[in-house]
Amino acid sequence: MSILSLALTRRWLGWLAFTTLFAVVCVGLAQWQWARRVEAVAEIRVVAQNWDAAPVALREVLPGDEPLAAEAEWTPVVLEGEYLLDEQLLVRNRPLTGRPGFEVLTPLLLESGEVFIVDRGWVPTGEAQDSPDAVPAAPAGTVEVIVRLKPGEPTIAGRGAPEGQIATIHLPELAERVEGGPVITGAYGLLDSESPAPIERPTAAVRPAPDEGPHLSYTFQWYLFALLGFVGYGWALRQEHRGLLAELTGETPRPRVRRRPSDDEVEDAIVERQADARREGERSDGERQASEINSA
């Protein structure tokens, strides 16, 4: 039987189908990892392009109430208005460097009458309660702020928050809760600076690290797994074909490689060598004595 005839049997066709399905799954996972890398690289590019840019007017970047464009994220904008201190909210479940805490959202009433949501920074959870011990106050009166734009967050089903807090920065929900005026729902802003500057402010947001993650290596690994599936299939098919040929021709199978000796076998071999050496020594001594007697 040729190896091709064996491969066309029902059983090996089934194994080929399974191997092909495995490869398809691996290729799909590889492409998914590659897509995630492309997204990560795009985010790194946007941060590098916008983070240190000069601040511009809000409506230059966000002309209407449409969602913020992906390429405009992190763009600094300058705003002037008055904080609505009574409308301030805390976003819960916001860890920073391993510590639980909150982000402080303070609506800013603009001269146009619109309200823009400003994320003034992070504060830690209190020592004895599920809320901060203290929240640094925002400056009163007219203030000029520079913020970096961020898109709003989606809601999370089943997650709520107590009075004065919110589960996510979902701008349509904030628009319903803030009463100072119509809320801009296309974006919110991470505070960079404010003038006049308060003595103390929440911990400012930091620049995202340019880390694309392990997606590229995972991509190559999944492609390699797909290839190894076919390598394993070919090896197994060849091994069975060789076994069938040996049965048909009556050839003796190759001897198996001897296993590694056990500890007992090693000890027995050492004892046997020592006994042989002892007998060899006794024989040499006997021959020497016999030689001495003959010489005498």
Side-chain angles (χ1 to χ4, degrees):
M1 174 184 291
S2 66
I3 192 169
L4 178 59
S5 300
L6 179 62
L8 293 177
T9 59
R10 182 175 180 180
R11 182 166 64 89
W12 280 102
L13 286 175
W15 279 114
L16 178 60
F18 176 80
T19 304
T20 303
L21 177 61
F22 173 76
V24 169
V25 172
C26 290
V27 169
L29 291 171
Q31 293 177 343
W32 172 64
Q33 287 291 344
W34 180 258
R36 293 191 62 187
R37 178 183 180 270
V38 170
E39 292 176 0
V41 171
E43 291 175 3
I44 293 172
R45 179 185 57 79
V46 170
V47 172
Q49 174 181 303
N50 296 338
W51 186 272
D52 295 320
V56 296
L58 175 64
R59 288 310 180 187
E60 290 185 21
V61 186
L62 199 68
D65 212 18
E66 296 296 322
L68 181 69
E71 61 271 15
E73 188 175 356
W74 307 108
T75 299
V77 298
V78 59
L79 303 168
E80 186 172 340
E82 184 175 347
Y83 281 124
L84 301 176
L85 303 179
D86 294 337
E87 302 286 343
Q88 182 168 277
L89 292 168
L90 299 175
V91 190
R92 54 189 294 108
N93 296 324
R94 299 292 165 135
L96 180 67
T97 63
R99 299 178 60 193
F102 301 81
E103 289 184 27
V104 182
L105 300 184
T106 310
L108 180 69
L109 178 61
L110 306 178
E111 294 178 346
S112 64
E114 299 173 297
V115 175
F116 185 83
I117 302 298
V118 177
D119 184 341
R120 299 190 63 245
W122 179 88
V123 290
T125 301
E127 297 294 335
Q129 72 285 334
D130 186 20
S131 60
D133 288 333
V135 178
T142 301
V143 60
E144 181 180 274
V145 303
I146 296 177
V147 299
R148 289 186 173 87
L149 297 180
K150 289 281 291 177
E153 300 174 354
T155 59
I156 301 177
R159 178 177 293 183
E163 184 68 25
Q165 299 181 15
I166 193 169
T168 64
I169 307 177
H170 185 56
L171 296 175
E173 180 181 350
L174 287 167
E176 296 177 359
R177 298 182 62 164
V178 175
E179 299 178 354
V183 175
I184 296 173
T185 58
Y188 71 99
L190 298 178
L191 180 64
D192 178 69
S193 64
E194 51 194 356
S195 178
I199 298 175
E200 184 181 5
R201 59 162 288 186
T203 302
V206 297
R207 180 173 183 154
D211 181 16
E212 66 180 56
H215 305 302
L216 182 60
S217 62
Y218 287 165
T219 298
F220 291 140
Q221 287 178 15
W222 283 116
Y223 280 125
L224 179 61
F225 291 157
L227 178 62
L228 289 178
F230 287 105
V231 171
Y233 168 83
W235 178 86
L237 178 63
R238 184 170 180 270
Q239 289 297 108
E240 181 166 324
H241 181 253
R242 293 179 62 183
L244 291 175
L245 287 180
E247 291 179 3
L248 292 174
T249 60
E251 295 180 358
T252 304
R254 292 183 179 180
R256 295 179 58 187
V257 178
R258 189 176 185 276
R259 64 177 178 82
R260 183 178 177 181
S262 65
D263 293 341
D264 291 339
E265 291 173 339
V266 173
E267 292 175 0
D268 292 342
I270 293 174
V271 171
E272 185 175 348
R273 284 197 296 269
Q274 291 175 345
D276 291 342
R278 200 164 42 246
R279 286 193 293 270
E280 183 65 26
E282 293 174 352
R283 186 184 307 102
S284 298
D285 290 341
E287 291 176 353
R288 188 172 57 256
Q289 291 175 2
S291 177
E292 291 174 354
I293 293 173
N294 292 334
S295 297

